[in-house]
Amino acid sequence: MMRKILLVAVLLSSVFFKPDQISAATIKEAEERIQTIETFKLILASGNSDYVFTPEEVSAINSMYAELENDTYTISTKDGSLKMDVGEYDIDQTMWPVKLSGSYFENHVTINRNIPMLYSTLMERKYVAEKDMADYQRRDYEYYVTEYESKIRSGEEVFYAEVHFKIQRWVKASQYRFMPEEIVFYKVAKQDRVIDTIKKLTPVIWSYKPEIEYRTKKEIDADLQKTKRTLYAESRQAEKDEQTEIEPEENKYNGRRAIYFALETFRNNNEEDPNSPSISRIQLNSFDAALIFGIGNYVFAGLELCFDLNDQTRKTIYSFGGLLGGSVEVFNIFRPYIQTGMAVRTDDRFVFKAGAGLDLKIGHMLITGAYNHIWNNAFSSDKANLTDREDKSYNSLSIGFGFTW
C-alpha cells in the first residue's frame, strides 16, 4: 500500500515538473525544486541508507533533475531577491560604486560583488576628460551627474541588476552546483534596455543535508565522466574567451588598408648611357594616387591612378589600373609588402609592374616607399610612330604619404 502511495507521489511529481506547466525563472522556484527532490528521496528511503530505489523511482528523480537543470533562473534587484547599494558618485573615477549582495540555498551560495557603474555606461555615451570638455559638454556632464545622483539618493530606480544562473546536479549524492552565467544591468526607461553585462563568474558547489544516494555505481561513474567533460568544455571555452579578448589588442592586423599619394621616378634599363638624348626623352616623373584594401590578413588589392609627365613635350599622360599583393605587419609599425599590377595609359600602352615596398605606420598616418620593375608595352596599331613605341622597361622608386586603418 505504501509503495502505491509513493508511486502516486512519483507520478504527481513528474506532472508537477512538466515544462509546459511551469516556467521557472526565480530563485524561489530553484530552491523549491531542490527541496522537492531531496524531500522525495528522503521519504522513499525513510532514513534507510541501504534502501534500493526502483527503476520507476529513479526515472522520476532523474526527470526532476532534468527539469531543474534545463531552466535558467534569475535573481533581480527589481523583486528584492538581490540587494543593491549604490554609493555616491566618484568624480575622480567617474562612476557610482555599486554593491550587489544576497544569500541563497540555505546560505550555501552568497553573492557579494562590487561593480563600478561608469558615467559613460549609464549615460550610454563616451566620456570626455574634463580638461578636454567643451563648454556645452561640461554643462551636460554636471547636469546629468547632479540629476542622477539626486534620483539615486531619493530612492528612485535609475537602473537595476539581474543575475542569470543555472543549477547543475553535481558528482556526489545530493550535491549541486550554482552556475552563474552573467550579471546584467538594465537602464530604466520607457523600454528598459541592457547597458552592461558581466561574465566570468565563479560557480559554487554545495551539498544538501542529509545526502541521499539513489544511483547505482554504474550511474555514479557515468555522472563523474559527464562532470569531467563539463569542466573540460568550460576550460576550453574560457581559453577561447581569453584569446578573443587579447586578439583585438595583439592581433588586430586586418591586412594592408590605405589611401596614399606618391611621387615616382623612372629610369630606362634599355639604354647604357644615362645621359643620352633617348634617356632624357623617356625620363618620366609620375604622381600616383592609390586606394588599397585588405583581403583577409595578408593579401591586398587596390586601384591606382597615375599622372605621367613627359619632360620633352610637357604632355600629361594618364594611366589607370589595379594592384594585387601580400603584406605582413611587424611590431604594429612596419609593414613590408610585395605587389604586382597592371594599368592602361592614355598613350596606347599597357604598363605591367612587380616590386616590393615598406609602409611605416604612425598611428593612422602612413609613409610608404617602394621599388618596382616596370614593363611599358605598346598596343596601338599606329605604324608611323612605331619607333616611339618600342617596348620599354624601367626601374622605379617611389615615396608616398597617406592614411591607413
Side-chain angles (χ1 to χ4, degrees):
M1 184 68 179
M2 180 59 66
R3 269 302 177 106
K4 290 182 179 180
I5 294 174
L6 292 176
L7 185 57
V8 170
V10 169
L11 295 175
L12 289 175
S13 297
S14 300
V15 171
F16 177 77
F17 279 93
K18 288 292 184 182
D20 58 351
Q21 294 192 13
I22 283 188
S23 178
T26 68
I27 183 70
K28 182 180 179 181
E29 287 169 315
E31 291 175 329
E32 287 177 349
R33 287 184 170 186
I34 293 176
Q35 178 70 46
T36 300
I37 292 171
E38 295 302 327
T39 301
F40 186 70
K41 291 195 295 182
L42 181 62
I43 292 174
L44 289 176
S46 301
N48 181 7
S49 59
D50 296 327
Y51 178 78
V52 179
F53 290 80
T54 67
E56 293 83 3
E57 293 166 348
V58 170
S59 176
I61 295 171
N62 284 336
S63 296
M64 294 179 184
Y65 272 122
E67 296 297 335
L68 174 71
E69 292 181 309
N70 287 339
D71 266 323
T72 298
Y73 304 91
T74 299
I75 310 171
S76 177
T77 59
K78 276 187 86 70
D79 61 16
S81 57
L82 180 65
K83 184 178 179 182
M84 180 172 69
D85 293 319
V86 184
E88 293 184 359
Y89 184 74
D90 188 322
I91 296 177
D92 295 330
Q93 299 186 46
T94 67
M95 61 87 174
W96 283 272
V98 176
K99 181 178 181 180
L100 301 178
S101 60
S103 182
Y104 314 97
F105 302 104
E106 298 181 344
N107 298 323
H108 289 294
V109 175
T110 59
I111 293 175
N112 191 6
R113 185 75 179 259
N114 295 312
I115 301 171
M117 174 57 65
L118 296 175
Y119 171 85
S120 58
T121 300
L122 185 57
M123 296 301 115
E124 301 177 275
R125 66 177 66 183
K126 183 178 180 181
Y127 173 76
V128 179
E130 285 195 69
K131 63 182 180 63
D132 299 325
M133 286 182 181
D135 290 341
Y136 77 92
Q137 290 174 318
R138 185 178 299 277
R139 286 194 300 269
D140 287 350
Y141 173 69
E142 293 174 351
Y143 170 79
Y144 284 117
V145 168
T146 302
E147 180 187 31
Y148 278 88
E149 179 65 18
S150 176
K151 289 180 178 180
I152 291 170
R153 294 307 133 225
S154 66
E156 183 176 344
E157 188 179 58
V158 175
F159 59 90
Y160 60 94
E162 291 182 349
V163 178
H164 302 156
F165 68 94
K166 297 184 80 70
I167 296 294
Q168 298 171 321
R169 176 179 58 176
W170 213 233
V171 181
K172 297 180 181 179
S174 303
Q175 191 175 57
Y176 298 88
R177 188 184 191 220
F178 173 83
M179 188 64 188
E181 296 183 327
E182 58 186 6
I183 299 174
V184 183
F185 284 93
Y186 299 84
K187 185 174 181 177
V188 176
K190 290 183 179 179
Q191 290 186 338
D192 297 350
R193 55 184 176 270
V194 175
I195 56 175
D196 196 14
T197 301
I198 299 170
K199 296 185 180 290
K200 290 188 175 180
L201 305 173
T202 304
V204 179
I205 298 172
W206 83 97
S207 293
Y208 190 96
K209 302 297 182 180
E211 298 181 21
I212 301 175
E213 183 60 82
Y214 75 99
R215 300 167 296 175
T216 65
K217 184 178 183 306
K218 182 179 179 180
E219 291 170 331
I220 293 172
D221 291 340
D223 285 344
L224 178 60
Q225 295 303 316
K226 178 182 176 182
T227 301
K228 290 180 178 179
R229 290 193 298 270
T230 298
L231 292 175
Y232 176 75
E234 291 177 357
S235 66
R236 293 287 296 171
Q237 185 60 47
E239 291 177 3
K240 290 181 180 179
D241 292 342
E242 186 174 346
Q243 290 174 357
T244 301
E245 290 182 1
I246 294 175
E247 185 173 351
E249 297 298 327
E250 295 186 355
N251 300 315
K252 57 184 180 182
Y253 181 50
N254 293 315
R256 189 173 186 240
R257 302 180 179 185
I259 181 170
Y260 62 86
F261 304 93
L263 291 174
E264 194 167 12
T265 62
F266 298 83
R267 183 180 182 85
N268 188 349
N269 291 330
N270 296 333
E271 301 289 345
E272 296 181 358
D273 183 3
N275 298 316
S276 68
S278 60
I279 286 289
S280 299
R281 187 167 59 251
I282 59 148
Q283 187 76 32
L284 298 176
N285 290 320
S286 175
F287 179 76
D288 304 342
L291 172 63
I292 306 298
F293 44 91
I295 305 174
N297 289 340
Y298 304 105
V299 179
F300 66 86
L303 300 175
E304 190 174 40
L305 176 64
C306 302
F307 304 88
D308 295 343
L309 182 63
N310 187 298
D311 288 340
Q312 183 182 29
T313 66
R314 309 303 298 176
K315 176 184 177 183
T316 302
I317 301 170
Y318 303 93
S319 65
F320 180 80
L323 297 171
L324 182 66
S327 66
V328 295
E329 194 163 289
V330 181
F331 304 125
N332 201 29
I333 297 175
F334 301 105
R335 189 164 58 193
Y337 62 89
I338 57 174
Q339 67 179 7
T340 184
M342 182 180 72
V344 178
R345 288 164 50 107
T346 56
D347 63 346
D348 299 339
R349 288 181 179 269
F350 277 126
V351 176
F352 304 92
K353 71 177 180 180
L358 177 66
D359 291 339
L360 173 62
K361 296 172 56 183
I362 306 173
H364 290 295
M365 300 295 293
L366 173 72
I367 300 175
T368 184
Y371 162 81
N372 287 287
H373 189 77
I374 297 176
W375 295 267
N376 194 349
N377 300 328
F379 64 84
S380 173
S381 60
D382 183 358
K383 302 297 183 180
N385 296 321
L386 184 60
T387 55
D388 293 332
R389 297 182 176 277
E390 296 173 353
D391 292 350
K392 302 292 184 180
S393 64
Y394 306 91
N395 289 317
S396 153
L397 293 175
S398 67
I399 185 168
F401 303 87
F403 301 93
T404 186
W405 56 92

